[in-house]
PDB file of all heavy atoms in Angstrom:
ATOM      1  N   VAL A   1     -88.274 -16.634-156.200  1.00 98.00           N
ATOM      2  CA  VAL A   1     -88.001 -18.071-156.137  1.00 98.00           C
ATOM      3  C   VAL A   1     -86.501 -18.325-156.056  1.00 98.00           C
ATOM      4  O   VAL A   1     -86.031 -19.153-155.262  1.00 98.00           O
ATOM      5  CB  VAL A   1     -88.618 -18.782-157.357  1.00 98.00           C
ATOM      6  CG1 VAL A   1     -88.282 -20.277-157.332  1.00 98.00           C
ATOM      7  CG2 VAL A   1     -90.128 -18.583-157.390  1.00 98.00           C
ATOM      8  N   ALA A   2     -85.742 -17.605-156.852  1.00 98.00           N
ATOM      9  CA  ALA A   2     -84.287 -17.786-156.846  1.00 98.00           C
ATOM     10  C   ALA A   2     -83.671 -17.317-155.532  1.00 98.00           C
ATOM     11  O   ALA A   2     -82.715 -17.922-155.036  1.00 98.00           O
ATOM     12  CB  ALA A   2     -83.666 -17.032-158.023  1.00 98.00           C
ATOM     13  N   VAL A   3     -84.203 -16.246-154.954  1.00 98.00           N
ATOM     14  CA  VAL A   3     -83.692 -15.771-153.664  1.00 98.00           C
ATOM     15  C   VAL A   3     -83.981 -16.805-152.579  1.00 98.00           C
ATOM     16  O   VAL A   3     -83.112 -17.125-151.752  1.00 98.00           O
ATOM     17  CB  VAL A   3     -84.306 -14.412-153.300  1.00 98.00           C
ATOM     18  CG1 VAL A   3     -83.891 -14.004-151.876  1.00 98.00           C
ATOM     19  CG2 VAL A   3     -83.869 -13.339-154.289  1.00 98.00           C
ATOM     20  N   LEU A   4     -85.199 -17.343-152.554  1.00 98.00           N
ATOM     21  CA  LEU A   4     -85.522 -18.378-151.571  1.00 98.00           C
ATOM     22  C   LEU A   4     -84.591 -19.576-151.719  1.00 98.00           C
ATOM     23  O   LEU A   4     -84.128 -20.150-150.725  1.00 98.00           O
ATOM     24  CB  LEU A   4     -86.973 -18.822-151.733  1.00 98.00           C
ATOM     25  CG  LEU A   4     -88.054 -17.812-151.340  1.00 98.00           C
ATOM     26  CD1 LEU A   4     -89.436 -18.368-151.672  1.00 98.00           C
ATOM     27  CD2 LEU A   4     -87.967 -17.460-149.857  1.00 98.00           C
ATOM     28  N   ARG A   5     -84.299 -19.943-152.955  1.00 98.00           N
ATOM     29  CA  ARG A   5     -83.399 -21.077-153.197  1.00 98.00           C
ATOM     30  C   ARG A   5     -82.019 -20.803-152.591  1.00 98.00           C
ATOM     31  O   ARG A   5     -81.416 -21.680-151.957  1.00 98.00           O
ATOM     32  CB  ARG A   5     -83.288 -21.344-154.694  1.00 98.00           C
ATOM     33  CG  ARG A   5     -82.587 -22.652-155.027  1.00 98.00           C
ATOM     34  CD  ARG A   5     -82.336 -22.779-156.532  1.00 98.00           C
ATOM     35  NE  ARG A   5     -83.560 -22.798-157.307  1.00 98.00           N
ATOM     36  CZ  ARG A   5     -84.319 -23.872-157.481  1.00 98.00           C
ATOM     37  NH1 ARG A   5     -83.992 -25.012-156.902  1.00 98.00           N
ATOM     38  NH2 ARG A   5     -85.407 -23.811-158.242  1.00 98.00           N
ATOM     39  N   ALA A   6     -81.508 -19.589-152.778  1.00 97.00           N
ATOM     40  CA  ALA A   6     -80.192 -19.243-152.245  1.00 97.00           C
ATOM     41  C   ALA A   6     -80.197 -19.250-150.715  1.00 97.00           C
ATOM     42  O   ALA A   6     -79.236 -19.713-150.081  1.00 97.00           O
ATOM     43  CB  ALA A   6     -79.775 -17.869-152.765  1.00 97.00           C
ATOM     44  N   LEU A   7     -81.262 -18.754-150.113  1.00 97.00           N
ATOM     45  CA  LEU A   7     -81.352 -18.729-148.653  1.00 97.00           C
ATOM     46  C   LEU A   7     -81.356 -20.140-148.075  1.00 97.00           C
ATOM     47  O   LEU A   7     -80.650 -20.429-147.098  1.00 97.00           O
ATOM     48  CB  LEU A   7     -82.617 -17.991-148.216  1.00 97.00           C
ATOM     49  CG  LEU A   7     -82.699 -16.499-148.534  1.00 97.00           C
ATOM     50  CD1 LEU A   7     -84.075 -15.960-148.172  1.00 97.00           C
ATOM     51  CD2 LEU A   7     -81.614 -15.722-147.810  1.00 97.00           C
ATOM     52  N   ILE A   8     -82.153 -21.011-148.672  1.00 96.00           N
ATOM     53  CA  ILE A   8     -82.262 -22.374-148.160  1.00 96.00           C
ATOM     54  C   ILE A   8     -80.959 -23.139-148.385  1.00 96.00           C
ATOM     55  O   ILE A   8     -80.473 -23.843-147.503  1.00 96.00           O
ATOM     56  CB  ILE A   8     -83.453 -23.083-148.819  1.00 96.00           C
ATOM     57  CG1 ILE A   8     -84.753 -22.416-148.370  1.00 96.00           C
ATOM     58  CG2 ILE A   8     -83.470 -24.567-148.469  1.00 96.00           C
ATOM     59  CD1 ILE A   8     -85.963 -22.823-149.163  1.00 96.00           C
ATOM     60  N   ALA A   9     -80.366 -22.955-149.567  1.00 95.00           N
ATOM     61  CA  ALA A   9     -79.087 -23.613-149.840  1.00 95.00           C
ATOM     62  C   ALA A   9     -78.003 -23.125-148.891  1.00 95.00           C
ATOM     63  O   ALA A   9     -77.076 -23.870-148.553  1.00 95.00           O
ATOM     64  CB  ALA A   9     -78.670 -23.357-151.290  1.00 95.00           C
ATOM     65  N   GLY A  10     -78.125 -21.875-148.451  1.00 94.00           N
ATOM     66  CA  GLY A  10     -77.144 -21.301-147.538  1.00 94.00           C
ATOM     67  C   GLY A  10     -77.346 -21.682-146.092  1.00 94.00           C
ATOM     68  O   GLY A  10     -76.556 -21.289-145.229  1.00 94.00           O
ATOM     69  N   GLY A  11     -78.403 -22.417-145.790  1.00 94.00           N
ATOM     70  CA  GLY A  11     -78.595 -22.918-144.438  1.00 94.00           C
ATOM     71  C   GLY A  11     -79.644 -22.220-143.610  1.00 94.00           C
ATOM     72  O   GLY A  11     -79.850 -22.568-142.443  1.00 94.00           O
ATOM     73  N   PHE A  12     -80.332 -21.239-144.167  1.00 96.00           N
ATOM     74  CA  PHE A  12     -81.380 -20.567-143.407  1.00 96.00           C
ATOM     75  C   PHE A  12     -82.590 -21.481-143.249  1.00 96.00           C
ATOM     76  O   PHE A  12     -82.955 -22.224-144.166  1.00 96.00           O
ATOM     77  CB  PHE A  12     -81.824 -19.277-144.107  1.00 96.00           C
ATOM     78  CG  PHE A  12     -80.964 -18.096-143.787  1.00 96.00           C
ATOM     79  CD1 PHE A  12     -80.169 -17.518-144.769  1.00 96.00           C
ATOM     80  CD2 PHE A  12     -80.944 -17.550-142.512  1.00 96.00           C
ATOM     81  CE1 PHE A  12     -79.379 -16.422-144.490  1.00 96.00           C
ATOM     82  CE2 PHE A  12     -80.152 -16.462-142.221  1.00 96.00           C
ATOM     83  CZ  PHE A  12     -79.374 -15.882-143.213  1.00 96.00           C
ATOM     84  N   HIS A  13     -83.212 -21.374-142.097  1.00 96.00           N
ATOM     85  CA  HIS A  13     -84.451 -22.104-141.810  1.00 96.00           C
ATOM     86  C   HIS A  13     -85.603 -21.102-141.845  1.00 96.00           C
ATOM     87  O   HIS A  13     -85.805 -20.344-140.895  1.00 96.00           O
ATOM     88  CB  HIS A  13     -84.367 -22.776-140.438  1.00 96.00           C
ATOM     89  CG  HIS A  13     -85.616 -23.512-140.046  1.00 96.00           C
ATOM     90  ND1 HIS A  13     -85.972 -23.720-138.736  1.00 96.00           N
ATOM     91  CD2 HIS A  13     -86.601 -24.064-140.804  1.00 96.00           C
ATOM     92  CE1 HIS A  13     -87.118 -24.374-138.698  1.00 96.00           C
ATOM     93  NE2 HIS A  13     -87.512 -24.597-139.934  1.00 96.00           N
ATOM     94  N   ILE A  14     -86.328 -21.076-142.945  1.00 98.00           N
ATOM     95  CA  ILE A  14     -87.427 -20.124-143.095  1.00 98.00           C
ATOM     96  C   ILE A  14     -88.661 -20.687-142.398  1.00 98.00           C
ATOM     97  O   ILE A  14     -89.188 -21.731-142.790  1.00 98.00           O
ATOM     98  CB  ILE A  14     -87.722 -19.851-144.579  1.00 98.00           C
ATOM     99  CG1 ILE A  14     -86.472 -19.309-145.279  1.00 98.00           C
ATOM    100  CG2 ILE A  14     -88.874 -18.860-144.731  1.00 98.00           C
ATOM    101  CD1 ILE A  14     -86.619 -19.143-146.776  1.00 98.00           C
ATOM    102  N   THR A  15     -89.108 -19.994-141.358  1.00 98.00           N
ATOM    103  CA  THR A  15     -90.260 -20.468-140.582  1.00 98.00           C
ATOM    104  C   THR A  15     -91.502 -19.617-140.820  1.00 98.00           C
ATOM    105  O   THR A  15     -92.621 -20.076-140.553  1.00 98.00           O
ATOM    106  CB  THR A  15     -89.941 -20.451-139.080  1.00 98.00           C
ATOM    107  OG1 THR A  15     -89.537 -19.130-138.684  1.00 98.00           O
ATOM    108  CG2 THR A  15     -88.821 -21.428-138.762  1.00 98.00           C
ATOM    109  N   GLU A  16     -91.327 -18.378-141.292  1.00 98.00           N
ATOM    110  CA  GLU A  16     -92.456 -17.499-141.567  1.00 98.00           C
ATOM    111  C   GLU A  16     -92.266 -16.866-142.936  1.00 98.00           C
ATOM    112  O   GLU A  16     -91.170 -16.410-143.270  1.00 98.00           O
ATOM    113  CB  GLU A  16     -92.578 -16.407-140.499  1.00 98.00           C
ATOM    114  CG  GLU A  16     -92.828 -16.955-139.104  1.00 98.00           C
ATOM    115  CD  GLU A  16     -92.955 -15.859-138.055  1.00 98.00           C
ATOM    116  OE1 GLU A  16     -92.285 -14.816-138.197  1.00 98.00           O
ATOM    117  OE2 GLU A  16     -93.714 -16.052-137.094  1.00 98.00           O
ATOM    118  N   LEU A  17     -93.343 -16.844-143.717  1.00 98.00           N
ATOM    119  CA  LEU A  17     -93.264 -16.294-145.058  1.00 98.00           C
ATOM    120  C   LEU A  17     -94.521 -15.470-145.309  1.00 98.00           C
ATOM    121  O   LEU A  17     -95.645 -15.961-145.145  1.00 98.00           O
ATOM    122  CB  LEU A  17     -93.166 -17.432-146.078  1.00 98.00           C
ATOM    123  CG  LEU A  17     -92.856 -17.073-147.530  1.00 98.00           C
ATOM    124  CD1 LEU A  17     -91.515 -16.355-147.649  1.00 98.00           C
ATOM    125  CD2 LEU A  17     -92.854 -18.333-148.400  1.00 98.00           C
ATOM    126  N   VAL A  18     -94.310 -14.205-145.668  1.00 98.00           N
ATOM    127  CA  VAL A  18     -95.411 -13.271-145.928  1.00 98.00           C
ATOM    128  C   VAL A  18     -95.198 -12.659-147.300  1.00 98.00           C
ATOM    129  O   VAL A  18     -94.055 -12.372-147.687  1.00 98.00           O
ATOM    130  CB  VAL A  18     -95.456 -12.161-144.856  1.00 98.00           C
ATOM    131  CG1 VAL A  18     -96.391 -11.031-145.264  1.00 98.00           C
ATOM    132  CG2 VAL A  18     -95.894 -12.734-143.521  1.00 98.00           C
ATOM    133  N   GLY A  19     -96.285 -12.460-148.049  1.00 98.00           N
ATOM    134  CA  GLY A  19     -96.146 -11.842-149.356  1.00 98.00           C
ATOM    135  C   GLY A  19     -97.339 -11.013-149.742  1.00 98.00           C
ATOM    136  O   GLY A  19     -98.455 -11.223-149.250  1.00 98.00           O
ATOM    137  N   THR A  20     -97.098 -10.051-150.593  1.00 98.00           N
ATOM    138  CA  THR A  20     -98.170  -9.275-151.189  1.00 98.00           C
ATOM    139  C   THR A  20     -98.026  -9.317-152.703  1.00 98.00           C
ATOM    140  O   THR A  20     -96.920  -9.490-153.222  1.00 98.00           O
ATOM    141  CB  THR A  20     -98.155  -7.813-150.685  1.00 98.00           C
ATOM    142  OG1 THR A  20     -99.364  -7.168-151.081  1.00 98.00           O
ATOM    143  CG2 THR A  20     -96.961  -7.033-151.233  1.00 98.00           C
ATOM    144  N   SER A  21     -99.134  -9.177-153.410  1.00 98.00           N
ATOM    145  CA  SER A  21     -99.120  -9.208-154.868  1.00 98.00           C
ATOM    146  C   SER A  21     -98.496 -10.525-155.353  1.00 98.00           C
ATOM    147  O   SER A  21     -98.889 -11.591-154.901  1.00 98.00           O
ATOM    148  CB  SER A  21     -98.382  -7.972-155.399  1.00 98.00           C
ATOM    149  OG  SER A  21     -98.499  -7.842-156.788  1.00 98.00           O
ATOM    150  N   VAL A  22     -97.508 -10.471-156.220  1.00 98.00           N
ATOM    151  CA  VAL A  22     -96.884 -11.706-156.674  1.00 98.00           C
ATOM    152  C   VAL A  22     -96.201 -12.428-155.519  1.00 98.00           C
ATOM    153  O   VAL A  22     -96.100 -13.660-155.510  1.00 98.00           O
ATOM    154  CB  VAL A  22     -95.876 -11.420-157.807  1.00 98.00           C
ATOM    155  CG1 VAL A  22     -94.690 -10.609-157.302  1.00 98.00           C
ATOM    156  CG2 VAL A  22     -95.411 -12.707-158.461  1.00 98.00           C
ATOM    157  N   GLY A  23     -95.759 -11.685-154.515  1.00 98.00           N
ATOM    158  CA  GLY A  23     -95.183 -12.316-153.326  1.00 98.00           C
ATOM    159  C   GLY A  23     -96.194 -13.179-152.602  1.00 98.00           C
ATOM    160  O   GLY A  23     -95.847 -14.207-152.010  1.00 98.00           O
ATOM    161  N   ALA A  24     -97.477 -12.788-152.650  1.00 98.00           N
ATOM    162  CA  ALA A  24     -98.538 -13.606-152.056  1.00 98.00           C
ATOM    163  C   ALA A  24     -98.712 -14.904-152.817  1.00 98.00           C
ATOM    164  O   ALA A  24     -98.971 -15.961-152.230  1.00 98.00           O
ATOM    165  CB  ALA A  24     -99.842 -12.816-152.034  1.00 98.00           C
ATOM    166  N   ILE A  25     -98.584 -14.831-154.133  1.00 98.00           N
ATOM    167  CA  ILE A  25     -98.703 -16.042-154.961  1.00 98.00           C
ATOM    168  C   ILE A  25     -97.599 -17.030-154.617  1.00 98.00           C
ATOM    169  O   ILE A  25     -97.849 -18.217-154.398  1.00 98.00           O
ATOM    170  CB  ILE A  25     -98.670 -15.670-156.454  1.00 98.00           C
ATOM    171  CG1 ILE A  25     -99.889 -14.820-156.817  1.00 98.00           C
ATOM    172  CG2 ILE A  25     -98.606 -16.920-157.321  1.00 98.00           C
ATOM    173  CD1 ILE A  25     -99.866 -14.279-158.239  1.00 98.00           C
ATOM    174  N   VAL A  26     -96.360 -16.548-154.567  1.00 98.00           N
ATOM    175  CA  VAL A  26     -95.237 -17.423-154.230  1.00 98.00           C
ATOM    176  C   VAL A  26     -95.415 -18.004-152.833  1.00 98.00           C
ATOM    177  O   VAL A  26     -95.216 -19.209-152.603  1.00 98.00           O
ATOM    178  CB  VAL A  26     -93.911 -16.654-154.333  1.00 98.00           C
ATOM    179  CG1 VAL A  26     -92.744 -17.523-153.858  1.00 98.00           C
ATOM    180  CG2 VAL A  26     -93.661 -16.185-155.774  1.00 98.00           C
ATOM    181  N   THR A  27     -95.810 -17.166-151.887  1.00 98.00           N
ATOM    182  CA  THR A  27     -96.014 -17.613-150.507  1.00 98.00           C
ATOM    183  C   THR A  27     -97.043 -18.725-150.426  1.00 98.00           C
ATOM    184  O   THR A  27     -96.819 -19.762-149.781  1.00 98.00           O
ATOM    185  CB  THR A  27     -96.466 -16.430-149.635  1.00 98.00           C
ATOM    186  OG1 THR A  27     -95.412 -15.464-149.556  1.00 98.00           O
ATOM    187  CG2 THR A  27     -96.833 -16.882-148.236  1.00 98.00           C
ATOM    188  N   ALA A  28     -98.184 -18.537-151.077  1.00 98.00           N
ATOM    189  CA  ALA A  28     -99.272 -19.505-150.978  1.00 98.00           C
ATOM    190  C   ALA A  28     -98.928 -20.825-151.655  1.00 98.00           C
ATOM    191  O   ALA A  28     -99.201 -21.905-151.113  1.00 98.00           O
ATOM    192  CB  ALA A  28    -100.540 -18.916-151.573  1.00 98.00           C
ATOM    193  N   PHE A  29     -98.342 -20.755-152.848  1.00 98.00           N
ATOM    194  CA  PHE A  29     -98.045 -21.998-153.551  1.00 98.00           C
ATOM    195  C   PHE A  29     -96.895 -22.758-152.902  1.00 98.00           C
ATOM    196  O   PHE A  29     -96.863 -23.988-152.937  1.00 98.00           O
ATOM    197  CB  PHE A  29     -97.763 -21.720-155.025  1.00 98.00           C
ATOM    198  CG  PHE A  29     -99.015 -21.584-155.844  1.00 98.00           C
ATOM    199  CD1 PHE A  29     -99.538 -20.340-156.124  1.00 98.00           C
ATOM    200  CD2 PHE A  29     -99.687 -22.700-156.298  1.00 98.00           C
ATOM    201  CE1 PHE A  29    -100.703 -20.202-156.861  1.00 98.00           C
ATOM    202  CE2 PHE A  29    -100.848 -22.589-157.031  1.00 98.00           C
ATOM    203  CZ  PHE A  29    -101.373 -21.329-157.312  1.00 98.00           C
ATOM    204  N   TYR A  30     -95.972 -22.064-152.290  1.00 98.00           N
ATOM    205  CA  TYR A  30     -94.870 -22.721-151.599  1.00 98.00           C
ATOM    206  C   TYR A  30     -95.331 -23.255-150.245  1.00 98.00           C
ATOM    207  O   TYR A  30     -95.102 -24.423-149.914  1.00 98.00           O
ATOM    208  CB  TYR A  30     -93.721 -21.730-151.418  1.00 98.00           C
ATOM    209  CG  TYR A  30     -92.473 -22.317-150.795  1.00 98.00           C
ATOM    210  CD1 TYR A  30     -91.685 -23.219-151.492  1.00 98.00           C
ATOM    211  CD2 TYR A  30     -92.075 -21.956-149.512  1.00 98.00           C
ATOM    212  CE1 TYR A  30     -90.536 -23.757-150.934  1.00 98.00           C
ATOM    213  CE2 TYR A  30     -90.931 -22.482-148.941  1.00 98.00           C
ATOM    214  CZ  TYR A  30     -90.156 -23.380-149.649  1.00 98.00           C
ATOM    215  OH  TYR A  30     -89.023 -23.909-149.086  1.00 98.00           O
ATOM    216  N   GLY A  31     -96.001 -22.398-149.477  1.00 98.00           N
ATOM    217  CA  GLY A  31     -96.329 -22.773-148.112  1.00 98.00           C
ATOM    218  C   GLY A  31     -97.585 -23.601-147.960  1.00 98.00           C
ATOM    219  O   GLY A  31     -97.616 -24.543-147.150  1.00 98.00           O
ATOM    220  N   ALA A  32     -98.660 -23.273-148.701  1.00 98.00           N
ATOM    221  CA  ALA A  32     -99.944 -23.953-148.522  1.00 98.00           C
ATOM    222  C   ALA A  32    -100.178 -25.063-149.544  1.00 98.00           C
ATOM    223  O   ALA A  32    -100.585 -26.165-149.188  1.00 98.00           O
ATOM    224  CB  ALA A  32    -101.080 -22.930-148.586  1.00 98.00           C
ATOM    225  N   VAL A  33     -99.922 -24.780-150.826  1.00 98.00           N
ATOM    226  CA  VAL A  33    -100.089 -25.813-151.850  1.00 98.00           C
ATOM    227  C   VAL A  33     -98.974 -26.847-151.739  1.00 98.00           C
ATOM    228  O   VAL A  33     -99.186 -28.041-151.944  1.00 98.00           O
ATOM    229  CB  VAL A  33    -100.122 -25.182-153.252  1.00 98.00           C
ATOM    230  CG1 VAL A  33    -100.208 -26.261-154.328  1.00 98.00           C
ATOM    231  CG2 VAL A  33    -101.312 -24.226-153.365  1.00 98.00           C
ATOM    232  N   GLY A  34     -97.763 -26.378-151.423  1.00 97.00           N
ATOM    233  CA  GLY A  34     -96.645 -27.298-151.215  1.00 97.00           C
ATOM    234  C   GLY A  34     -95.737 -27.494-152.402  1.00 97.00           C
ATOM    235  O   GLY A  34     -94.916 -28.417-152.414  1.00 97.00           O
ATOM    236  N   LEU A  35     -95.854 -26.616-153.421  1.00 98.00           N
ATOM    237  CA  LEU A  35     -94.934 -26.735-154.550  1.00 98.00           C
ATOM    238  C   LEU A  35     -93.507 -26.495-154.078  1.00 98.00           C
ATOM    239  O   LEU A  35     -93.252 -25.616-153.248  1.00 98.00           O
ATOM    240  CB  LEU A  35     -95.282 -25.715-155.634  1.00 98.00           C
ATOM    241  CG  LEU A  35     -96.630 -25.851-156.338  1.00 98.00           C
ATOM    242  CD1 LEU A  35     -96.697 -24.854-157.492  1.00 98.00           C
ATOM    243  CD2 LEU A  35     -96.862 -27.256-156.842  1.00 98.00           C
ATOM    244  N   ASP A  36     -92.566 -27.262-154.613  1.00 98.00           N
ATOM    245  CA  ASP A  36     -91.170 -27.003-154.296  1.00 98.00           C
ATOM    246  C   ASP A  36     -90.651 -25.899-155.221  1.00 98.00           C
ATOM    247  O   ASP A  36     -91.351 -25.446-156.131  1.00 98.00           O
ATOM    248  CB  ASP A  36     -90.325 -28.269-154.384  1.00 98.00           C
ATOM    249  CG  ASP A  36     -90.353 -28.925-155.759  1.00 98.00           C
ATOM    250  OD1 ASP A  36     -90.635 -28.226-156.767  1.00 98.00           O
ATOM    251  OD2 ASP A  36     -90.089 -30.141-155.842  1.00 98.00           O
ATOM    252  N   LEU A  37     -89.432 -25.478-154.990  1.00 98.00           N
ATOM    253  CA  LEU A  37     -88.901 -24.346-155.757  1.00 98.00           C
ATOM    254  C   LEU A  37     -88.713 -24.689-157.228  1.00 98.00           C
ATOM    255  O   LEU A  37     -88.887 -23.824-158.088  1.00 98.00           O
ATOM    256  CB  LEU A  37     -87.581 -23.879-155.135  1.00 98.00           C
ATOM    257  CG  LEU A  37     -87.707 -23.313-153.711  1.00 98.00           C
ATOM    258  CD1 LEU A  37     -86.339 -22.936-153.165  1.00 98.00           C
ATOM    259  CD2 LEU A  37     -88.634 -22.107-153.682  1.00 98.00           C
ATOM    260  N   ASP A  38     -88.384 -25.933-157.528  1.00 98.00           N
ATOM    261  CA  ASP A  38     -88.279 -26.329-158.936  1.00 98.00           C
ATOM    262  C   ASP A  38     -89.622 -26.181-159.644  1.00 98.00           C
ATOM    263  O   ASP A  38     -89.688 -25.707-160.787  1.00 98.00           O
ATOM    264  CB  ASP A  38     -87.800 -27.776-159.048  1.00 98.00           C
ATOM    265  CG  ASP A  38     -86.323 -27.936-158.701  1.00 98.00           C
ATOM    266  OD1 ASP A  38     -85.596 -26.918-158.727  1.00 98.00           O
ATOM    267  OD2 ASP A  38     -85.908 -29.072-158.410  1.00 98.00           O
ATOM    268  N   SER A  39     -90.696 -26.589-158.972  1.00 98.00           N
ATOM    269  CA  SER A  39     -92.032 -26.501-159.576  1.00 98.00           C
ATOM    270  C   SER A  39     -92.468 -25.056-159.727  1.00 98.00           C
ATOM    271  O   SER A  39     -93.091 -24.683-160.730  1.00 98.00           O
ATOM    272  CB  SER A  39     -93.043 -27.274-158.725  1.00 98.00           C
ATOM    273  OG  SER A  39     -92.708 -28.648-158.659  1.00 98.00           O
ATOM    274  N   LEU A  40     -92.152 -24.228-158.749  1.00 98.00           N
ATOM    275  CA  LEU A  40     -92.474 -22.803-158.853  1.00 98.00           C
ATOM    276  C   LEU A  40     -91.721 -22.157-160.011  1.00 98.00           C
ATOM    277  O   LEU A  40     -92.279 -21.357-160.764  1.00 98.00           O
ATOM    278  CB  LEU A  40     -92.134 -22.088-157.539  1.00 98.00           C
ATOM    279  CG  LEU A  40     -93.114 -22.263-156.393  1.00 98.00           C
ATOM    280  CD1 LEU A  40     -92.514 -21.711-155.107  1.00 98.00           C
ATOM    281  CD2 LEU A  40     -94.432 -21.580-156.705  1.00 98.00           C
ATOM    282  N   GLU A  41     -90.453 -22.519-160.144  1.00 98.00           N
ATOM    283  CA  GLU A  41     -89.662 -21.976-161.247  1.00 98.00           C
ATOM    284  C   GLU A  41     -90.232 -22.420-162.590  1.00 98.00           C
ATOM    285  O   GLU A  41     -90.352 -21.603-163.522  1.00 98.00           O
ATOM    286  CB  GLU A  41     -88.209 -22.430-161.117  1.00 98.00           C
ATOM    287  CG  GLU A  41     -87.327 -21.945-162.244  1.00 98.00           C
ATOM    288  CD  GLU A  41     -85.879 -22.370-162.095  1.00 98.00           C
ATOM    289  OE1 GLU A  41     -85.386 -22.469-160.952  1.00 98.00           O
ATOM    290  OE2 GLU A  41     -85.228 -22.606-163.144  1.00 98.00           O
ATOM    291  N   ALA A  42     -90.608 -23.684-162.694  1.00 97.00           N
ATOM    292  CA  ALA A  42     -91.162 -24.188-163.951  1.00 97.00           C
ATOM    293  C   ALA A  42     -92.465 -23.473-164.292  1.00 97.00           C
ATOM    294  O   ALA A  42     -92.711 -23.121-165.453  1.00 97.00           O
ATOM    295  CB  ALA A  42     -91.390 -25.691-163.850  1.00 97.00           C
ATOM    296  N   ALA A  43     -93.309 -23.235-163.285  1.00 97.00           N
ATOM    297  CA  ALA A  43     -94.574 -22.532-163.525  1.00 97.00           C
ATOM    298  C   ALA A  43     -94.322 -21.112-163.996  1.00 97.00           C
ATOM    299  O   ALA A  43     -95.003 -20.607-164.899  1.00 97.00           O
ATOM    300  CB  ALA A  43     -95.411 -22.535-162.252  1.00 97.00           C
ATOM    301  N   GLY A  44     -93.337 -20.468-163.396  1.00 96.00           N
ATOM    302  CA  GLY A  44     -93.013 -19.108-163.802  1.00 96.00           C
ATOM    303  C   GLY A  44     -92.452 -19.032-165.203  1.00 96.00           C
ATOM    304  O   GLY A  44     -92.775 -18.121-165.971  1.00 96.00           O
TER     305      GLY A  44
END
């Protein structure tokens, strides 16, 4: 979550996101459920 925050703050446009294990959880809740990074951090 913190790495994604740094990438977005730095100007990267993330168009594809793939994850396995806990990476799959972050991917799904960010991309499909729509949680923002603050909400993901709070859940964690």
Side-chain angles (χ1 to χ4, degrees):
V1 177
V3 173
L4 291 175
R5 191 188 298 279
L7 294 174
I8 294 168
F12 275 113
H13 178 206
I14 302 174
T15 56
E16 298 180 327
L17 189 60
V18 168
T20 191
S21 189
V22 66
I25 296 174
V26 175
T27 295
F29 278 97
Y30 184 70
V33 176
L35 295 187
D36 59 24
L37 296 178
D38 287 341
S39 298
L40 282 170
E41 178 179 327

